[in-house]
Amino acid sequence: MDTTPLGPTAFRAPAVLLSGAVDYDMYRDFRRQLGAAADREIVVVELTTLGGDPEVARMMGEDIRFNSAMDPDRRFVFLGKAAIYSAGTTFMSFFARPNRYLTCGTRLMIHERKMNKQLQIEGPLTTCIASVTATLNEIQCSIAIQNEGFSNLIQGSDVTLDEVLEKAPSNWYLEAEEAKRRGLIEAVI
């Protein structure tokens, strides 16, 4: 895979332009644009988002990972503009570190997954245990998925998993230049 730093001209006409909430509508638009870029050697994916569904971000990311593995002669590049929050940062983590770029002044926001669920315990005691166990399993699985994403994000940087786990619960914001200094991205353009 080519990891040569790209100049600003590589970003003039991104193949994939996405903005707004990371949701199933964005995913459909992403897949359509990605398919239309099948003949491009360098596929720049430009994103601005205040966040959204982390599982949709993972689906989009897996498409990037899959396409990168299936066609190693093509280069898939992330360009974040203005705000890359939450699910947007999750999506960015699927791009190889040398293929991550942010525009000047862009902010990344890293946080833990959130859950909003009420657990009502009612009925025979054995089914009560099953309900509680199912919720606990859901939480533990979500934490494991979250931490896999954090590990992908920090690979090749000087950010440690312990640092992310300490700062993520209170929403960790990083300006583009700080993300570059810490090694989370290749460059600020």
Side-chain angles (χ1 to χ4, degrees), residues 25-113:
D25 287 336
M26 178 182 279
Y27 182 65
R28 280 188 289 279
D29 196 29
F30 166 73
R31 288 298 303 246
R32 181 186 55 74
Q33 292 181 65
L34 188 62
D39 60 338
R40 291 198 185 197
E41 274 185 43
I42 297 176
V43 178
V44 175
V45 178
E46 180 182 298
L47 175 65
T48 300
T49 185
L50 297 179
D53 187 329
E55 291 307 318
V56 172
R58 289 182 63 232
M59 287 182 349
M60 291 168 37
E62 286 298 338
D63 287 338
I64 293 297
R65 186 187 331 257
F66 176 79
N67 279 280
S68 297
M70 295 306 294
D71 197 349
D73 293 333
R74 294 176 74 205
R75 187 169 178 187
F76 295 86
V77 178
F78 180 88
L79 174 61
K81 288 178 79 175
I84 303 299
Y85 292 176
S86 183
T89 305
T90 297
F91 178 53
M92 185 184 82
S93 75
F94 283 85
F95 289 79
R97 214 276 301 129
N99 292 331
R100 298 179 194 162
Y101 294 78
L102 298 176
T103 59
C104 186
T106 296
R107 300 298 194 276
L108 293 178
M109 191 263 281
I110 303 165
H111 72 76
E112 286 190 344
R113 285 178 168 227

Side-chain angles (χ1 to χ4, degrees), residues 5 12 20 145 182:
R12 280 198 180 128
I145 290 169
R182 299 297 308 269

Side-chain angles (χ1 to χ4, degrees), residues 61-167:
E62 286 298 338
D63 287 338
I64 293 297
R65 186 187 331 257
F66 176 79
N67 279 280
S68 297
M70 295 306 294
D71 197 349
D73 293 333
R74 294 176 74 205
R75 187 169 178 187
F76 295 86
V77 178
F78 180 88
L79 174 61
K81 288 178 79 175
I84 303 299
Y85 292 176
S86 183
T89 305
T90 297
F91 178 53
M92 185 184 82
S93 75
F94 283 85
F95 289 79
R97 214 276 301 129
N99 292 331
R100 298 179 194 162
Y101 294 78
L102 298 176
T103 59
C104 186
T106 296
R107 300 298 194 276
L108 293 178
M109 191 263 281
I110 303 165
H111 72 76
E112 286 190 344
R113 285 178 168 227
K114 297 187 180 348
M115 175 182 268
N116 182 5
K117 183 176 192 170
Q118 290 187 1
L119 180 60
Q120 185 171 347
I121 302 172
E122 182 178 318
L125 294 178
T126 54
T127 56
C128 292
I129 291 173
S131 296
V132 171
T133 301
T135 300
L136 180 59
N137 288 340
E138 179 183 2
I139 293 168
Q140 290 172 330
C141 183
S142 293
I143 290 170
I145 290 169
Q146 164 193 278
N147 292 349
E148 287 170 13
F150 289 161
S151 293
N152 287 339
L153 177 66
I154 65 174
Q155 190 173 10
S157 76
D158 71 1
V159 177
T160 66
L161 186 57
D162 285 341
E163 182 178 14
V164 175
L165 295 175
E166 175 189 326
K167 293 180 177 183

